[in-house]
Amino acid sequence: MNDLSQQLQFINEMDKLKAVYRRALIKADNNRRENSAEHSWHIALTAHVLAPYAEEPIDVGRVTLMLLLHDIVEIDAGDTFAFDDSAILAEQSDKEIAAAKRLFGLLPPSQAERFISLWMEFEEAETPDASFAKAMDRVLPLMQNIQNNGGSWAANTVKKSQVINRNRHLERSAPKLWGFVLEEIEKATEKGWLQDT
Amino acid sequence: MNDLSQQLQFINEMDKLKAVYRRALIKADNNRRENSAEHSWHIALTAHVLAPYAEEPIDVGRVTLMLLLHDIVEIDAGDTFAFDDSAILAEQSDKEIAAAKRLFGLLPPSQAERFISLWMEFEEAETPDASFAKAMDRVLPLMQNIQNNGGSWAANTVKKSQVINRNRHLERSAPKLWGFVLEEIEKATEKGWLQDT
């Protein structure tokens, strides 16, 4: 196959991310479950809107591409709930690495290598770009749950401490947002949407 | 309201794009209709994959942000079918301008101005960035219809000449893709998915 055939095959394969459903609920669409494609759009846009709060210099173009790519592995590996048992989450990690090889491997080698490298940078969440991208991926579900009477937190009896830990990337990458998030988590706990432990 | 409150309100409002349904069908998800949020994700990713075919220099980061933003106006104005009557499409244009003012106007002024300006640049489709972005927005439904036995073309008796006109941005912005698209349109016409006029 030539490069274009490979690229078109990859683009077609991406349609499948629209059939991967998350726990998050879309209040604006009769509380149906959100899929990972529309979630990826929303956080990529969120990164542009909230980029002024980044504590360290970030390249918002790289952050955006990371966010467009970050869930593609779910086409093969499926979505896991953020607050599942750690054993489930560890097994998921192996599945996602195999998925990244197969899915990005549909592309010509130079693009495949670039995309896998960005995906791994996101997963490791150590660089300023990746840490900010990870923070966006985690803060948006929080906002959705707050808009929706607790949403997937309330439905799955999630603990306050779990949500705080999950959003800690913000503490480093956007401290002003971190302050806001801590206040919102307190309010959500007072309303009974999060378990107070 | 301070900047952060405005930004969070905008981000929450964006959830509504996930409830705007297009004519395109998702083969990978039981042929349900596609919404404009997941469509926006898919074309933003497509722009990165096909950027090497751009004839003129483009800033793929700007192209991506245009594509993330381009359909937001549909939250207020709704989606129209690409091949609707021109009178319907003209009326839609007025609705979209009002929608852009309201929706981007939720943001702090400097971001609102930047996003409206990018959206207008996309609509005018004259700069290399906007022309390439527009080409991506139009070529992906073509690929979806080809993968899906004619999809929304066949269901709405669309003409070959309409699809050729709609994809003409490619002729300027990515001639190599234009050649491929013309071949695919011919094949689709032979199969009876497009009307041969």
Side-chain angles (χ1 to χ4, degrees), chain A residues 71-114:
Chain A
D71 269 346
I72 286 174
V73 292
E74 294 180 357
I75 289 173
D76 285 0
D79 185 50
T80 49
F81 188 48
F83 305 109
D84 274 339
D85 287 349
S86 56
I88 294 174
L89 297 175
E91 187 188 340
Q92 181 69 3
S93 174
D94 292 342
K95 283 190 208 163
E96 290 189 351
I97 289 167
K101 287 183 185 161
R102 184 187 82 76
L103 290 158
F104 295 124
L106 296 172
L107 288 166
S110 67
Q111 282 189 328
E113 283 163 26
R114 180 164 162 254

Side-chain angles (χ1 to χ4, degrees), chain B residues 25-78:
Chain B
L25 303 175
I26 310 280
K27 188 179 177 187
D29 199 18
N30 300 315
N31 269 327
R32 68 166 174 84
R33 284 173 69 179
E34 185 181 41
N35 70 61
S36 292
E38 60 199 350
H39 160 72
S40 298
W41 165 77
H42 205 169
I43 57 175
L45 184 58
T46 297
H48 278 276
V49 173
L50 298 182
Y53 299 96
E55 181 75 357
E56 300 170 276
I58 57 166
D59 176 340
V60 72
R62 285 187 88 240
V63 169
T64 303
L65 182 52
M66 275 183 204
L67 291 171
L68 294 174
L69 296 176
H70 84 294
D71 269 346
I72 285 173
V73 293
E74 294 180 358
I75 288 173
D76 285 0

Side-chain angles (χ1 to χ4, degrees), chain B residues 10-196:
Chain B
F10 174 81
I11 291 165
N12 283 326
E13 187 76 5
M14 291 303 104
D15 233 25
K16 295 181 181 168
L17 196 60
K18 301 168 191 168
V20 175
Y21 287 91
R22 300 159 41 83
R23 298 275 178 105
L25 303 175
I26 310 280
K27 188 179 177 187
D29 199 18
N30 300 315
N31 269 327
R32 68 166 174 84
R33 284 173 69 179
E34 185 181 41
N35 70 61
S36 292
E38 60 199 350
H39 160 72
S40 298
W41 165 77
H42 205 169
I43 57 175
L45 184 58
T46 297
H48 278 276
V49 173
L50 298 182
Y53 299 96
E55 181 75 357
E56 300 170 276
I58 57 166
D59 176 340
V60 72
R62 285 187 88 240
V63 169
T64 303
L65 182 52
M66 275 183 204
L67 291 171
L68 294 174
L69 296 176
H70 84 294
D71 269 346
I72 285 173
V73 293
E74 294 180 358
I75 288 173
D76 285 0
D79 185 50
T80 50
F81 187 47
F83 305 108
D84 272 340
D85 288 347
S86 56
I88 294 174
L89 296 175
E91 188 189 338
Q92 181 69 3
S93 174
D94 292 341
K95 281 191 210 163
E96 289 188 352
I97 290 167
K101 286 182 186 163
R102 185 187 82 76
L103 289 158
F104 295 124
L106 296 171
L107 288 166
S110 66
Q111 282 189 327
E113 283 162 27
R114 182 166 160 251
F115 284 13
I116 287 179
S117 165
L118 269 174
W119 175 75
M120 291 188 69
E121 182 179 334
F122 174 84
E123 287 296 305
E124 290 163 4
E126 286 174 6
T127 63
D129 286 350
S131 178
F132 188 80
K134 195 70 107 171
M136 297 299 104
D137 186 35
R138 295 183 168 186
V139 78
L140 190 62
L142 178 144
M143 290 174 58
Q144 288 172 314
N145 284 337
I146 286 168
Q147 289 296 312
N148 204 5
N149 296 321
S152 63
W153 291 336
N156 295 280
T157 59
V158 172
K159 297 174 188 166
K160 173 171 107 172
S161 56
Q162 291 178 302
V163 177
I164 291 176
N165 278 335
R166 189 158 171 80
N167 280 281
R168 276 207 185 275
H169 290 284
L170 273 181
E171 187 173 13
R172 166 186 156 195
S173 65
K176 188 171 171 190
L177 296 179
W178 176 238
F180 159 80
V181 160
L182 285 179
E183 286 170 24
E184 293 296 316
I185 290 172
E186 277 309 320
K187 287 187 217 163
T189 308
E190 282 164 23
K191 287 179 180 161
W193 298 339
L194 286 169
Q195 308 290 304
D196 192 7

Side-chain angles (χ1 to χ4, degrees), chain A residues 7 18 21 29 34 42 53, chain B residues 7 18 21 29 34 53:
Chain A
Q7 287 155 332
K18 301 168 190 167
Y21 287 90
D29 200 19
E34 185 181 42
H42 204 168
Y53 299 96
Chain B
Q7 288 154 330
K18 301 168 191 168
Y21 287 91
D29 199 18
E34 185 181 41
Y53 299 96

Side-chain angles (χ1 to χ4, degrees), chain A residues 28 58 63 65 96 100 110 172:
Chain A
I58 57 166
V63 169
L65 183 52
E96 290 189 351
S110 67
R172 166 186 155 195

